[in-house]
Each structure stands twice: as structure tokens, then as C-alpha cells.
Amino acid sequence: MKLVVQPQFSYLKAEIETAIEQFNNQGTLLVKGSRNTIKIFPLNNQLLNIKAFKKPNLLNAFVYRFIRDSKAKRSYNYALRLLNSGIGTPQPIAFAEYNNGIGLGKSFYVCEHITTEYTYRDLVETPDLKNHEEILRAFTRFCFKLHEAGVEFKDHSPGNTLIKINEDQSYSFYLVDLNRMQFHADMTFDQRMYNLRRLTPKKEMIAVMANEYAKLYTQKTETEIFSLMWNLTSQFQMKFHRKQRMKKRIKFWKK
């Protein structure tokens, strides 16, 4: 196993290594997905969030070993880059890779575990959430900050932004699921709006976001921002639901 630990956490290296080696048998299950599993491990009065990536197929195993960084390494490096840009994400601690002669086996990303009140998905699913519009506008400002830093978060979907209410009743936002990102010197208007297309199918939420984004991005009018954001959102929703219908048909014929 190759284990890389942030220097400030080097004193925990042995414990982190043990947690990864015992991942299947220990820890509290947080997410059990078809591809990845996330568990929480207590360590020295703090909680570690450890994400185990599914072992890649033979081709990807070769690619991730010799051509492209693994998802775990990308998550770790992107987290450091986000924090250096003042963008919220759980503190990265380590990543680990199991390699063999022909390619990458399993890999793990370790970060701090943050307990938050909401995710962006709660804004979508609970329209009567307390201070809903206030949080949505704060989230939009966070997105603008992300774009100004040239960060294109390719998995910018409802479940991948954690929302924490601070003691002064302000809001902090943390990106998770970081392995798919692209960094730009400058993001165009089209790139910015395209990056927001997956967040909500609700037109009234898009209207609020467009209004808030227009206050910060003065190169375009609120009408122009809303029009492109809504058109791209609608296109995404149509493709998403068409894909879901196709999956149902395929499952039906397999039965």
C-alpha cells in the first residue's frame, strides 16, 4: 500500500494505515454505493471520513496506475487546491493506493468528517425550509466565488455541497466528491451557467439564483443569466429523465 499523509497529520500515520487496512471490518458505515463506500472512524478526539473507491476494471486499473492519477489522489490534491483558493471542503488528510504489477487496485481518500445541517438537496426537496431563500442566495454567492477562482466542479449536483449554519447564523459551504474537477485561468459565462445546470429542476430556485448571481456578475443582465441557466437546466433534466426511462426499459427486458 502506498500511503501519503499531509505533513501536519504525519503523527497519525500508523493509525490511519490501520483504519484503512481494517476498513472492511471496522468503522461506522455512512454511504454504501454501487461504486464507493464511505465509513467514519474515530481517531484522537476527531472523526475520519474514509472513502473507499471501487477497484477499477482492467483498463482503468492500468490507466490509473501509469497514465492518470487515481480518484483518491485527485480528491486529495483537488481538496488542497480548493482550500488554497479559499473554497470550503473537508480538510484532506491522506490518500492510499494498492498497486500490483498491472495496475491500480483499491484506493482510499481520507479527510476530516464534518457534521452539517443540510446539503443543497435539502433546499430542492424542502421548499419550506427555514431561511430557504437566504441560504439559497448564500449558496449562489459561494458558486460565484468558485467560478471566480476558475474551479469547474464537474460533479456539482445536489448532494455534493454540505451546508453548515455557523454560530453567527452565517452559512459555510463544503464541496465533497472531488475527483472530477477542471481548473481554468478564467471561466466564460457559458461555462459558469453550464456548471450550475444539475442543481435543481425548480424554475423558482433558478430565478432566485439568477437574481443573486447577477448582483456579482455584472457582465450580463439578470434576464440573460436566468435565460441561459434555465435553458441548460431544462436540457439536462430532459436528458436525465430520458436516460432513466431507458434504464427502466433495459431492466424490464432483462427480467
Side-chain angles (χ1 to χ4, degrees):
M1 179 176 68
K2 173 187 175 183
L3 176 63
V4 175
V5 180
Q6 260 215 80
Q8 68 194 83
F9 297 102
S10 59
Y11 68 98
L12 296 175
K13 185 172 183 178
E15 289 87 348
I16 293 171
E17 185 171 3
T18 298
I20 291 172
E21 290 174 344
Q22 296 298 319
F23 184 85
N24 290 336
N25 304 315
Q26 297 180 8
T28 302
L29 183 65
L30 183 64
V31 175
K32 178 63 176 176
S34 58
R35 294 179 297 174
N36 309 313
T37 302
I38 301 175
K39 284 187 172 183
I40 301 171
F41 288 78
L43 183 62
N44 287 25
N45 298 319
Q46 63 179 319
L47 294 176
L48 296 186
N49 184 300
I50 303 182
K51 182 175 186 177
F53 293 93
K54 182 181 178 181
K55 184 178 179 180
N57 60 39
L58 190 61
L59 175 60
N60 283 338
F62 177 84
V63 170
Y64 291 149
R65 174 77 194 276
F66 299 106
I67 300 174
R68 190 183 184 198
D69 287 340
S70 69
K71 293 181 178 181
K73 184 176 181 179
R74 276 181 277 150
S75 297
Y76 176 84
N77 287 335
Y78 292 165
L80 291 174
R81 191 161 179 175
L82 288 176
L83 292 179
N84 286 335
S85 298
I87 306 297
T89 191
Q91 177 69 47
I93 295 174
F95 74 91
E97 298 170 338
Y98 284 88
N99 294 315
N100 54 43
I102 60 172
L104 176 75
K106 295 198 75 171
S107 60
F108 299 82
Y109 172 55
V110 185
C111 65
E112 68 172 330
H113 181 74
I114 295 178
T115 301
T116 60
E117 285 74 18
Y118 307 119
T119 67
Y120 181 88
R121 188 185 305 280
D122 292 302
L123 298 180
V124 179
E125 297 179 348
T126 314
D128 59 348
L129 191 73
K130 184 180 179 181
N131 298 325
H132 184 283
E133 183 172 327
E134 182 181 334
I135 300 172
L136 181 58
R137 289 184 180 276
F139 170 79
T140 305
R141 294 192 293 272
F142 171 75
C143 291
F144 177 79
K145 182 179 180 181
L146 198 68
H147 296 159
E148 286 293 285
V151 179
E152 182 183 358
F153 182 32
K154 292 182 176 291
D155 281 327
H156 205 16
S157 54
N160 286 343
T161 301
L162 310 181
I163 304 173
K164 185 173 182 60
I165 303 175
N166 302 313
E167 290 184 2
D168 63 357
Q169 298 306 301
S170 62
Y171 306 99
S172 294
F173 302 90
Y174 301 88
L175 299 182
V176 296
D177 202 358
L178 306 180
N179 66 86
R180 295 181 64 243
M181 288 194 176
Q182 189 170 347
F183 297 88
H184 306 268
D186 184 43
M187 288 184 69
T188 67
F189 175 58
D190 286 2
Q191 286 174 326
R192 291 165 182 249
M193 298 300 101
Y194 186 79
N195 188 231
L196 302 176
R197 75 196 187 284
R198 300 174 61 185
L199 288 167
T200 176
K202 295 186 175 181
K203 196 171 187 177
E204 62 272 22
M205 290 182 69
I206 297 295
V208 172
M209 293 178 68
N211 176 264
E212 192 65 27
Y213 205 97
K215 296 175 184 177
L216 304 167
Y217 191 78
T218 55
Q219 294 93 319
K220 298 290 182 179
T221 66
E222 181 181 340
T223 300
E224 289 172 316
I225 292 172
F226 171 79
S227 178
L228 185 55
M229 196 187 302
W230 177 243
N231 285 339
L232 291 171
T233 296
S234 299
Q235 291 172 23
F236 171 78
Q237 291 297 324
M238 284 190 292
K239 289 179 181 178
F240 174 79
H241 290 295
R242 184 164 59 243
K243 187 176 180 180
Q244 293 300 109
R245 289 195 294 270
M246 287 295 295
K247 284 183 177 179
K248 288 182 180 179
R249 292 193 188 106
I250 292 171
K251 287 180 180 179
F252 172 78
W253 286 111
K254 282 183 177 180
K255 291 178 181 180

